[in-house]
Amino acid sequence: MLKPALMAGGLIAAAAALPLLSHGSAQSALVSMLAEGGLRGQTTFLLLATFLIAIGLPRQIPAFAAGYAFGPWYGTAIALVAQSLACSLDFIWARTVAQDFCRRKFGARLAWVDRAIACHPFTTTLMLRLMPVGNNLLLNLAAGLTRVRLTPFLTGSAIGFIPQTIVFAMLGKGSAPNHVHLLMMGGATFLASALLGLVLLRRKRSAA
């Protein structure tokens, strides 16, 4: 819990501090840079965010940046697309390139992941995504190395991404003056997402 809490706290602090650092000019410069050329600027942001998330950048950071530049709702949409594309890329790479080698080398460990996810891939993935712990890249790769199908894993991931993506897009937009309420809403949504993940985890353990 410490790492995600520190990340959330750091982004909240950054959002709160931005109005003190000539936020208006900073946001205008960022929006101009991303929106330059219209759709081209937004596409560039989407592709860059997808690449960075796929190689291990915490997905909350592009969500924060998208919310800061594009607003909480459009920023959320762009960030969700980037996260889902990165998830698919990691999964497909692991499935097509690394699966055979890793099964030979780490067969016992992968069998445990298979048992944990394959029986109920959608609900298990959804639960893991809602929890404010874990590593997005490692989960994408681990799922690709097992017999889990892409569709339920990607669907559970995309839905599970939504709460925290909204949270951090709100935090990004909440850095603007007169948007402090978005900081409060973002913090409350983050806690609600974590609690929902814990509830799903307890239900899964009770049913096991």
Side-chain angles (χ1 to χ4, degrees):
M1 295 286 288
L2 180 60
K3 182 178 177 181
L6 288 174
M7 180 186 296
L11 290 178
I12 290 172
L18 280 171
L20 305 177
L21 301 173
S22 300
H23 164 273
S25 60
Q27 188 180 36
S28 297
L30 179 60
V31 172
S32 298
M33 179 181 67
L34 295 177
E36 185 177 358
L39 185 61
R40 184 177 64 181
Q42 298 169 25
T43 303
T44 300
F45 178 88
L46 174 63
L47 294 176
L48 180 61
T50 298
F51 172 75
L52 292 175
I53 296 170
I55 63 173
L57 181 73
R59 57 189 174 84
Q60 295 88 348
I61 294 176
F64 181 91
Y68 182 73
F70 303 119
W73 309 123
Y74 190 46
T76 293
I78 293 177
L80 279 173
V81 172
Q83 292 166 12
S84 299
L85 288 174
C87 175
S88 300
L89 290 174
D90 290 337
F91 183 100
I92 292 170
W93 180 88
R95 177 64 54 88
T96 58
V97 176
Q99 189 180 50
D100 290 340
F101 170 80
C102 290
R103 279 191 175 277
R104 290 195 302 269
K105 195 168 183 63
F106 308 106
R109 294 181 182 179
L110 288 178
W112 180 86
V113 177
D114 255 332
R115 291 193 299 271
I117 301 179
C119 291
H120 304 284
F122 173 80
T123 55
T124 302
T125 302
L126 177 62
M127 176 196 69
L128 292 172
R129 296 304 192 187
L130 290 173
M131 297 286 288
V133 294
N135 184 291
N136 180 58
L137 174 61
L138 290 181
L139 180 57
N140 295 342
L141 295 176
L145 295 174
T146 66
R147 54 193 171 89
V148 175
R149 292 184 296 112
L150 175 61
T151 299
F153 177 75
L154 182 59
T155 304
S157 294
I159 296 174
F161 286 153
I162 292 174
Q164 285 194 40
T165 304
I166 292 175
V167 167
F168 285 93
M170 281 184 176
L171 294 180
K173 186 59 177 178
S175 62
N178 303 320
H179 287 88
V180 178
H181 65 287
L182 289 177
L183 288 176
M184 299 175 65
M185 290 173 60
T189 307
F190 182 83
L191 291 175
S193 171
L195 289 174
L196 179 57
L198 287 172
V199 169
L200 291 175
L201 176 61
R202 288 189 175 184
R203 287 185 177 180
K204 180 176 178 60
R205 287 179 175 174
S206 299

